[in-house]
Amino acid sequence: DQRKRKRRLRDTLAVQRGIIRHVMLVIDQSESMSVRDMTPTRIHATLLLLEKFVVEFFDQNPISQLSVVTTKDGLAEKLTEMSSNPTDHIRALRKKTNRDLAGEPSIQNALELSMHALRRVPSHGLREIICVIGSLTTCDPGDIEQTLCALKHAQIRVSMVHLAAEVHVLKRICKETGGEFAVAMDEDDLKDSLFECVPPPAIAQNKGLASMARMGFPSKANCTLVPTPCACHHELTFEGFVCPRCKAKVCSLPTDCDVCGLALVSAPHLARSYHHLFPE
């Protein structure tokens, strides 16, 4: 209850927040996630709460994008590409292969993979990494200090939720990148800690603010007789939206045009994010 009141108070503070977020969601799939201190196991409880997190995230951040990364056996793998479609992320989280646990996680590989993906996003958006970790150990190929320096140089904010205990190096990564670190003792604690990351964080004072960001408002495509290919999935579809710059068709909004790279949004999405840009 105290954490909920704190979150409500923080959401009402008059601070400027970024409305365009690019978030990498890292999930631990090591053997430590098979512990039954959550019902029925850590991995099942985590994936179930992450589905709710994805829905709530896009409800409050409609023009933001998210990608899912998993780590096990000392490796990191991208589960979904960066997109604004919550259905794709939830479908990927529900795959049975996500419950196949093995070995130890590699926090460094997961952060490096996420950092590589975030380096290609526009500079006017916020770059964030949110990790759910259950292991007290990590199998890393190099020096984590170099990764921490690279994260700070790229202005990437790292937040973590640990399911076992406070780990000094992980908490230090979060602190030095401006993120949050929390330890979840049960499912309710895990949910509260995850939902702390739903509202966009305040923009750092040392971050250069973009005065203008180029966006496009596409019109709806009407292909009632003959289907046309979409640029995002390379499939023939009857419905979609036409990019105002290059006339390519995409399936859903918001997204980035796969042909010209223009950010495509709709007016309702932009209106729902407006209060984060100019708080009252």
Side-chain angles (χ1 to χ4, degrees):
D1 293 338
Q2 184 178 0
R3 181 172 293 177
K4 290 180 180 178
R5 288 194 296 268
K6 181 180 178 182
R7 186 166 67 240
R8 292 194 192 101
L9 178 63
R10 186 191 65 180
D11 294 344
T12 58
L13 295 178
V15 295
Q16 188 176 14
R17 304 180 186 275
I19 65 172
I20 303 178
R21 304 169 67 188
H22 297 86
V23 178
M24 304 295 294
L25 184 61
V26 178
I27 307 172
D28 182 3
Q29 287 189 342
S30 64
E31 292 179 352
S32 59
M33 295 296 284
S34 62
V35 177
R36 296 182 177 273
D37 55 357
M38 294 186 180
T39 307
T41 60
R42 286 180 179 176
I43 188 63
H44 285 79
T46 298
L47 293 176
L48 184 62
L49 287 174
L50 284 178
E51 290 184 23
K52 300 178 181 179
F53 169 81
V54 169
V55 174
E56 186 69 17
F57 176 83
F58 284 109
D59 181 65
Q60 295 195 30
N61 306 273
I63 61 175
S64 298
Q65 297 190 34
L66 184 141
S67 176
V68 180
V69 173
T70 60
T71 175
K72 63 180 178 181
D73 265 341
L75 302 173
E77 179 186 4
K78 188 183 294 184
L79 197 63
T80 61
E81 294 294 333
M82 189 77 70
S83 75
S84 300
N85 190 347
T87 306
D88 293 343
H89 303 304
I90 293 176
R91 186 184 300 115
L93 290 173
R94 289 178 177 175
K95 287 184 178 179
K96 293 183 178 179
T97 53
N98 291 333
R99 291 161 176 79
D100 297 335
L101 311 177
E104 294 182 347
S106 177
I107 305 300
Q108 185 181 25
N109 282 335
L111 294 176
E112 291 282 354
L113 177 63
S114 302
M115 183 166 49
H116 179 72
L118 291 173
R119 278 176 177 163
R120 294 176 289 179
V121 305
S123 59
H124 57 259
L126 298 179
R127 304 173 183 180
E128 302 175 58
I129 301 175
I130 300 175
C131 306
V132 181
I133 309 296
S135 176
L136 292 171
T137 59
T138 174
C139 182
D140 296 335
D143 187 2
I144 193 67
E145 294 292 338
Q146 297 181 0
T147 303
L148 175 57
C149 292
L151 288 168
K152 292 191 292 185
H153 183 265
Q155 294 185 328
I156 297 176
R157 183 179 190 266
V158 182
S159 297
M160 297 188 185
V161 181
H162 207 288
L163 306 183
E166 181 179 300
V167 181
H168 172 72
V169 65
L170 302 184
K171 184 176 181 180
R172 183 163 159 259
I173 291 174
C174 297
K175 181 179 179 180
E176 295 194 14
T177 58
E180 300 290 337
F181 182 87
V183 179
M185 305 305 296
D186 52 29
E187 292 92 330
D188 293 335
D189 211 12
L190 175 58
K191 181 180 179 181
D192 289 340
S193 300
L194 282 174
F195 277 57
E196 286 277 348
C197 301
V198 170
I203 297 178
Q205 294 181 354
N206 60 348
K207 182 177 176 60
L209 299 180
S211 57
M212 297 184 68
R214 190 182 296 272
M215 292 185 177
F217 296 87
S219 58
K220 193 168 184 179
N222 294 318
C223 306
T224 57
L225 299 179
V226 180
T228 56
C230 69
C232 46
H233 300 95
H234 305 290
E235 297 178 353
L236 296 175
T237 58
F238 286 97
E239 298 180 349
F241 301 89
V242 179
C243 174
R245 175 191 283 174
C246 65
K247 306 304 179 184
K249 190 177 77 170
V250 296
C251 293
S252 61
L253 298 177
T255 187
D256 292 335
C257 180
D258 290 86
V259 177
C260 65
L262 181 66
L264 304 177
V265 299
S266 65
H269 288 144
L270 200 59
R272 283 165 52 192
S273 303
Y274 190 77
H275 68 282
H276 294 310
L277 191 61
F278 296 104
E280 294 181 357

mmCIF file of all heavy atoms in Angstrom, residues 39-63:
data_model
loop_
_atom_site.group_PDB
_atom_site.id
_atom_site.type_symbol
_atom_site.label_atom_id
_atom_site.label_comp_id
_atom_site.label_asym_id
_atom_site.label_seq_id
_atom_site.Cartn_x
_atom_site.Cartn_y
_atom_site.Cartn_z
ATOM 1 N N THR A 39 4.054 -19.015 -7.079
ATOM 2 C CA THR A 39 3.096 -20.016 -7.548
ATOM 3 C C THR A 39 2.948 -19.972 -9.064
ATOM 4 O O THR A 39 2.613 -18.918 -9.613
ATOM 5 C CB THR A 39 1.725 -19.785 -6.885
ATOM 6 O OG1 THR A 39 1.902 -19.724 -5.467
ATOM 7 C CG2 THR A 39 0.763 -20.899 -7.230
ATOM 8 N N PRO A 40 3.119 -21.119 -9.783
ATOM 9 C CA PRO A 40 3.714 -22.365 -9.280
ATOM 10 C C PRO A 40 5.237 -22.322 -9.238
ATOM 11 O O PRO A 40 5.862 -22.958 -8.405
ATOM 12 C CB PRO A 40 3.219 -23.402 -10.287
ATOM 13 C CG PRO A 40 3.062 -22.630 -11.562
ATOM 14 C CD PRO A 40 2.625 -21.241 -11.173
ATOM 15 N N THR A 41 5.850 -21.562 -10.146
ATOM 16 C CA THR A 41 7.299 -21.348 -10.141
ATOM 17 C C THR A 41 7.577 -19.882 -10.454
ATOM 18 O O THR A 41 6.687 -19.137 -10.863
ATOM 19 C CB THR A 41 8.007 -22.233 -11.181
ATOM 20 O OG1 THR A 41 7.508 -21.916 -12.484
ATOM 21 C CG2 THR A 41 7.797 -23.713 -10.882
ATOM 22 N N ARG A 42 8.812 -19.494 -10.299
ATOM 23 C CA ARG A 42 9.183 -18.110 -10.586
ATOM 24 C C ARG A 42 8.916 -17.739 -12.044
ATOM 25 O O ARG A 42 8.394 -16.665 -12.329
ATOM 26 C CB ARG A 42 10.664 -17.891 -10.275
ATOM 27 C CG ARG A 42 11.012 -17.817 -8.808
ATOM 28 C CD ARG A 42 12.516 -17.605 -8.633
ATOM 29 N NE ARG A 42 12.898 -17.509 -7.229
ATOM 30 C CZ ARG A 42 14.152 -17.401 -6.817
ATOM 31 N NH1 ARG A 42 15.149 -17.392 -7.713
ATOM 32 N NH2 ARG A 42 14.431 -17.315 -5.524
ATOM 33 N N ILE A 43 9.275 -18.633 -12.967
ATOM 34 C CA ILE A 43 9.139 -18.296 -14.386
ATOM 35 C C ILE A 43 7.672 -18.177 -14.776
ATOM 36 O O ILE A 43 7.298 -17.277 -15.548
ATOM 37 C CB ILE A 43 9.870 -19.334 -15.270
ATOM 38 C CG1 ILE A 43 9.891 -18.885 -16.725
ATOM 39 C CG2 ILE A 43 9.250 -20.716 -15.114
ATOM 40 C CD1 ILE A 43 10.639 -17.622 -16.987
ATOM 41 N N HIS A 44 6.809 -19.054 -14.259
ATOM 42 C CA HIS A 44 5.382 -18.966 -14.583
ATOM 43 C C HIS A 44 4.780 -17.677 -14.036
ATOM 44 O O HIS A 44 4.029 -16.985 -14.743
ATOM 45 C CB HIS A 44 4.635 -20.183 -14.022
ATOM 46 C CG HIS A 44 4.849 -21.445 -14.783
ATOM 47 N ND1 HIS A 44 5.978 -22.211 -14.634
ATOM 48 C CD2 HIS A 44 4.087 -22.076 -15.726
ATOM 49 C CE1 HIS A 44 5.906 -23.264 -15.424
ATOM 50 N NE2 HIS A 44 4.783 -23.196 -16.108
ATOM 51 N N ALA A 45 5.088 -17.346 -12.797
ATOM 52 C CA ALA A 45 4.555 -16.117 -12.201
ATOM 53 C C ALA A 45 5.081 -14.885 -12.919
ATOM 54 O O ALA A 45 4.341 -13.924 -13.146
ATOM 55 C CB ALA A 45 4.908 -16.068 -10.713
ATOM 56 N N THR A 46 6.359 -14.927 -13.307
ATOM 57 C CA THR A 46 6.951 -13.781 -13.987
ATOM 58 C C THR A 46 6.319 -13.545 -15.347
ATOM 59 O O THR A 46 5.955 -12.419 -15.694
ATOM 60 C CB THR A 46 8.471 -13.994 -14.144
ATOM 61 O OG1 THR A 46 9.065 -14.099 -12.843
ATOM 62 C CG2 THR A 46 9.095 -12.832 -14.901
ATOM 63 N N LEU A 47 6.179 -14.605 -16.142
ATOM 64 C CA LEU A 47 5.613 -14.448 -17.480
ATOM 65 C C LEU A 47 4.160 -13.984 -17.417
ATOM 66 O O LEU A 47 3.714 -13.186 -18.253
ATOM 67 C CB LEU A 47 5.713 -15.776 -18.249
ATOM 68 C CG LEU A 47 7.135 -16.233 -18.604
ATOM 69 C CD1 LEU A 47 7.102 -17.607 -19.268
ATOM 70 C CD2 LEU A 47 7.810 -15.218 -19.510
ATOM 71 N N LEU A 48 3.418 -14.470 -16.428
ATOM 72 C CA LEU A 48 2.021 -14.050 -16.288
ATOM 73 C C LEU A 48 1.930 -12.566 -15.945
ATOM 74 O O LEU A 48 1.108 -11.829 -16.523
ATOM 75 C CB LEU A 48 1.339 -14.888 -15.206
ATOM 76 C CG LEU A 48 -0.161 -14.649 -15.000
ATOM 77 C CD1 LEU A 48 -0.936 -14.988 -16.263
ATOM 78 C CD2 LEU A 48 -0.690 -15.451 -13.824
ATOM 79 N N LEU A 49 2.784 -12.089 -15.050
ATOM 80 C CA LEU A 49 2.758 -10.678 -14.684
ATOM 81 C C LEU A 49 3.315 -9.799 -15.803
ATOM 82 O O LEU A 49 2.877 -8.662 -15.969
ATOM 83 C CB LEU A 49 3.563 -10.460 -13.404
ATOM 84 C CG LEU A 49 2.910 -10.975 -12.119
ATOM 85 C CD1 LEU A 49 3.844 -10.838 -10.937
ATOM 86 C CD2 LEU A 49 1.613 -10.220 -11.841
ATOM 87 N N LEU A 50 4.243 -10.332 -16.578
ATOM 88 C CA LEU A 50 4.786 -9.548 -17.686
ATOM 89 C C LEU A 50 3.740 -9.328 -18.775
ATOM 90 O O LEU A 50 3.772 -8.305 -19.467
ATOM 91 C CB LEU A 50 6.021 -10.240 -18.265
ATOM 92 C CG LEU A 50 7.300 -10.124 -17.434
ATOM 93 C CD1 LEU A 50 8.440 -10.887 -18.097
ATOM 94 C CD2 LEU A 50 7.690 -8.665 -17.229
ATOM 95 N N GLU A 51 2.824 -10.265 -18.949
ATOM 96 C CA GLU A 51 1.728 -10.043 -19.897
ATOM 97 C C GLU A 51 0.892 -8.841 -19.473
ATOM 98 O O GLU A 51 0.544 -7.985 -20.295
ATOM 99 C CB GLU A 51 0.851 -11.295 -19.982
ATOM 100 C CG GLU A 51 1.512 -12.487 -20.668
ATOM 101 C CD GLU A 51 0.564 -13.660 -20.795
ATOM 102 O OE1 GLU A 51 -0.672 -13.438 -20.772
ATOM 103 O OE2 GLU A 51 1.040 -14.807 -20.914
ATOM 104 N N LYS A 52 0.580 -8.764 -18.181
ATOM 105 C CA LYS A 52 -0.181 -7.618 -17.666
ATOM 106 C C LYS A 52 0.649 -6.340 -17.780
ATOM 107 O O LYS A 52 0.107 -5.267 -18.053
ATOM 108 C CB LYS A 52 -0.587 -7.868 -16.222
ATOM 109 C CG LYS A 52 -1.472 -9.096 -16.030
ATOM 110 C CD LYS A 52 -1.798 -9.304 -14.562
ATOM 111 C CE LYS A 52 -2.657 -10.549 -14.367
ATOM 112 N NZ LYS A 52 -2.972 -10.792 -12.937
ATOM 113 N N PHE A 53 1.951 -6.466 -17.562
ATOM 114 C CA PHE A 53 2.828 -5.297 -17.665
ATOM 115 C C PHE A 53 2.828 -4.747 -19.085
ATOM 116 O O PHE A 53 2.772 -3.525 -19.280
ATOM 117 C CB PHE A 53 4.243 -5.680 -17.240
ATOM 118 C CG PHE A 53 5.275 -4.630 -17.552
ATOM 119 C CD1 PHE A 53 5.442 -3.528 -16.728
ATOM 120 C CD2 PHE A 53 6.078 -4.739 -18.680
ATOM 121 C CE1 PHE A 53 6.389 -2.561 -17.017
ATOM 122 C CE2 PHE A 53 7.027 -3.776 -18.977
ATOM 123 C CZ PHE A 53 7.185 -2.685 -18.146
ATOM 124 N N VAL A 54 2.902 -5.620 -20.090
ATOM 125 C CA VAL A 54 2.926 -5.179 -21.488
ATOM 126 C C VAL A 54 1.634 -4.438 -21.833
ATOM 127 O O VAL A 54 1.661 -3.378 -22.476
ATOM 128 C CB VAL A 54 3.137 -6.384 -22.428
ATOM 129 C CG1 VAL A 54 2.902 -5.985 -23.880
ATOM 130 C CG2 VAL A 54 4.549 -6.931 -22.270
ATOM 131 N N VAL A 55 0.498 -4.970 -21.389
ATOM 132 C CA VAL A 55 -0.781 -4.315 -21.660
ATOM 133 C C VAL A 55 -0.826 -2.937 -21.018
ATOM 134 O O VAL A 55 -1.215 -1.942 -21.646
ATOM 135 C CB VAL A 55 -1.942 -5.198 -21.162
ATOM 136 C CG1 VAL A 55 -3.276 -4.459 -21.307
ATOM 137 C CG2 VAL A 55 -1.999 -6.504 -21.940
ATOM 138 N N GLU A 56 -0.429 -2.851 -19.753
ATOM 139 C CA GLU A 56 -0.462 -1.570 -19.044
ATOM 140 C C GLU A 56 0.564 -0.601 -19.618
ATOM 141 O O GLU A 56 0.314 0.611 -19.683
ATOM 142 C CB GLU A 56 -0.187 -1.807 -17.556
ATOM 143 C CG GLU A 56 -0.336 -0.576 -16.679
ATOM 144 C CD GLU A 56 -1.777 -0.100 -16.554
ATOM 145 O OE1 GLU A 56 -2.684 -0.895 -16.881
ATOM 146 O OE2 GLU A 56 -1.977 1.058 -16.146
ATOM 147 N N PHE A 57 1.708 -1.128 -20.045
ATOM 148 C CA PHE A 57 2.758 -0.268 -20.595
ATOM 149 C C PHE A 57 2.270 0.464 -21.842
ATOM 150 O O PHE A 57 2.436 1.679 -21.966
ATOM 151 C CB PHE A 57 3.993 -1.107 -20.923
ATOM 152 C CG PHE A 57 5.098 -0.338 -21.589
ATOM 153 C CD1 PHE A 57 6.000 0.400 -20.838
ATOM 154 C CD2 PHE A 57 5.231 -0.331 -22.971
ATOM 155 C CE1 PHE A 57 7.021 1.116 -21.447
ATOM 156 C CE2 PHE A 57 6.238 0.379 -23.594
ATOM 157 C CZ PHE A 57 7.140 1.106 -22.827
ATOM 158 N N PHE A 58 1.653 -0.262 -22.769
ATOM 159 C CA PHE A 58 1.193 0.380 -23.996
ATOM 160 C C PHE A 58 -0.080 1.189 -23.790
ATOM 161 O O PHE A 58 -0.404 2.045 -24.603
ATOM 162 C CB PHE A 58 0.991 -0.671 -25.086
ATOM 163 C CG PHE A 58 2.279 -1.164 -25.679
ATOM 164 C CD1 PHE A 58 2.726 -2.442 -25.427
ATOM 165 C CD2 PHE A 58 3.052 -0.344 -26.473
ATOM 166 C CE1 PHE A 58 3.920 -2.894 -25.952
ATOM 167 C CE2 PHE A 58 4.246 -0.778 -27.010
ATOM 168 C CZ PHE A 58 4.687 -2.065 -26.747
ATOM 169 N N ASP A 59 -0.802 0.924 -22.706
ATOM 170 C CA ASP A 59 -1.962 1.748 -22.401
ATOM 171 C C ASP A 59 -1.524 3.144 -21.960
ATOM 172 O O ASP A 59 -2.154 4.143 -22.323
ATOM 173 C CB ASP A 59 -2.800 1.086 -21.304
ATOM 174 C CG ASP A 59 -4.044 1.896 -20.965
ATOM 175 O OD1 ASP A 59 -4.907 2.024 -21.856
ATOM 176 O OD2 ASP A 59 -4.141 2.397 -19.836
ATOM 177 N N GLN A 60 -0.429 3.228 -21.195
ATOM 178 C CA GLN A 60 0.056 4.526 -20.730
ATOM 179 C C GLN A 60 1.127 5.128 -21.636
ATOM 180 O O GLN A 60 1.426 6.318 -21.537
ATOM 181 C CB GLN A 60 0.610 4.399 -19.310
ATOM 182 C CG GLN A 60 -0.427 4.035 -18.268
ATOM 183 C CD GLN A 60 0.069 4.264 -16.868
ATOM 184 O OE1 GLN A 60 0.887 5.140 -16.604
ATOM 185 N NE2 GLN A 60 -0.431 3.465 -15.923
ATOM 186 N N ASN A 61 1.730 4.295 -22.494
ATOM 187 C CA ASN A 61 2.761 4.776 -23.413
ATOM 188 C C ASN A 61 2.423 4.325 -24.832
ATOM 189 O O ASN A 61 3.100 3.468 -25.399
ATOM 190 C CB ASN A 61 4.133 4.228 -23.002
ATOM 191 C CG ASN A 61 4.484 4.529 -21.561
ATOM 192 O OD1 ASN A 61 5.035 5.567 -21.243
ATOM 193 N ND2 ASN A 61 4.149 3.586 -20.678
ATOM 194 N N PRO A 62 1.374 4.877 -25.415
ATOM 195 C CA PRO A 62 0.864 4.338 -26.692
ATOM 196 C C PRO A 62 1.802 4.533 -27.879
ATOM 197 O O PRO A 62 1.688 3.803 -28.864
ATOM 198 C CB PRO A 62 -0.447 5.105 -26.899
ATOM 199 C CG PRO A 62 -0.296 6.349 -26.100
ATOM 200 C CD PRO A 62 0.531 5.986 -24.922
ATOM 201 N N ILE A 63 2.721 5.499 -27.849
ATOM 202 C CA ILE A 63 3.619 5.693 -28.982
ATOM 203 C C ILE A 63 5.050 5.259 -28.643
ATOM 204 O O ILE A 63 5.999 5.653 -29.312
ATOM 205 C CB ILE A 63 3.611 7.157 -29.473
ATOM 206 C CG1 ILE A 63 4.076 8.112 -28.377
ATOM 207 C CG2 ILE A 63 2.236 7.548 -29.970
ATOM 208 C CD1 ILE A 63 4.198 9.555 -28.861
#
